[in-house]
Amino acid sequence: MKTNRKRGIKRRIAFLVAAALILSDVPFTSYATSSTRQEIADKENEKDELEDQLDASQQQISGLKGEQKTLRQQLADLNEQLTAVSDHLAELEQQIRTKEQEIEEATQALSEAREREAWQYDCMEKRIQYAYERGQESLLEIFFNWDSFARFLNASTYMESVAQADDEMLDQIIQTREFIESEEVRLQQEKEELDYLKVQAEADKSRVAGLISQTSNRMADYADQISDAEKEARAYEANLKKVEEDLEALKLKLQQEIAMSQRAANATWRNISDVTFVEGDLYLLANLIYCEAGGEPYDGKLAVGAVVINRMLSSVYPDTVVGVIYQRRQFSPVGSGRLELALAVNKANADCYRAAEEAMSGMSNVGNCVYFRTPIEGLTGISIGGHIFY
């Protein structure tokens, strides 16, 4: 029986809501001031967040470009190092080719010197052999074979000079060979040093080339990061522009609503005894109070109920509980669907019902206030719990 009664109340509320939405001739210019102020505050916060994000993004871009500039300078330095190392390597390679040519010439000269030395030995051996084979002839026979003693002496002197020349030539050939051998050793040592320097230069070239490759890859990575950050910054800028436009529109609406609030204050007010309540008003108001001030102290619940009744009493607003609560975009629980969910299961507790009953009896702890919201800077009014009433 109790369940059927609740269903009947809900059906009557639904009918009254529909009728109020269809038949209400009360003009509406914008969001309710409390709702609009909240939206403005939210938009201001969103704007601040976007500005912070944009600033962070721009700082990131600046930092990335700074790193990219540093890498670009490092790359230029590395390219200079690579050029220097490559030039040094080319110079070493040329020196090695020259040294190899010198070694080849020294080897050829050494071969020729050894051939001359062997030839000289061969000549000397032949002369010694000849002298030995003639050794059985006596000096007298040699002497008497010469036409004169003078010619004998000349021949003897000649033979001695030939032997001396052979010795001198052989010594010179040996010295030349030994010099060429030492030169060949020196040239080989110098070539080995050049080969070692070449290996070092090639290692340096490989190292620098590797650093260039790494730096180039890092630059490419920074370029990608900068591109992504710039896209993100452009998105922040677009969002910020949209938020600023929304904010301007909300501020304009707020001005209109403040004007409406002043109009309500200066409008004709009915007496509570002139108000007629219908079945379901208490149920609806109690659940709205629950949605708006369920976590507030009792005074806060009563204040919310008083705002609804104050609007009924003002000629600026609808003259029914349903009309006031369901007036387009006035109470956020209506737009969000929270009120519908609360009505479906009757979320209102005893304090919510008590506050609704006292408000409907004309009791008000906020005077003629017709708006409320969470506190924001610059807003003055009656502070109760977590709301400002004005």
Side-chain angles (χ1 to χ4, degrees), residues 263-279:
R263 178 185 167 197
N266 297 324
T268 302
W269 284 69
R270 295 185 297 167
N271 190 280
I272 190 65
S273 61
D274 297 329
V275 175
T276 301
F277 294 101
V278 299
E279 185 178 3

Side-chain angles (χ1 to χ4, degrees), residues 284-285 288 308 320-327 330-331 334 339:
L284 176 60
L285 181 57
L288 176 69
V308 174
T320 64
V321 172
V322 171
V324 168
I325 291 177
Y326 284 97
Q327 188 176 6
Q330 293 296 303
F331 294 93
V334 175
L339 178 58

Side-chain angles (χ1 to χ4, degrees), residues 221-278:
D221 182 56
Y222 273 105
D224 291 341
Q225 291 184 50
I226 289 171
S227 177
D228 292 341
E230 287 176 340
K231 289 179 182 177
E232 188 177 63
R234 287 193 293 270
Y236 286 143
E237 289 172 348
N239 290 338
L240 183 59
K241 182 179 179 182
K242 177 65 168 57
V243 168
E244 288 173 343
E245 292 173 352
D246 293 344
L247 193 55
E248 288 301 316
L250 286 171
K251 287 180 179 178
L252 178 60
K253 289 181 179 181
L254 180 60
Q255 292 176 359
Q256 295 171 343
E257 291 167 3
I258 290 174
M260 186 174 181
S261 175
Q262 294 172 348
R263 178 185 167 197
N266 297 324
T268 302
W269 284 69
R270 295 185 297 167
N271 190 280
I272 190 65
S273 61
D274 297 329
V275 175
T276 301
F277 294 101
V278 299

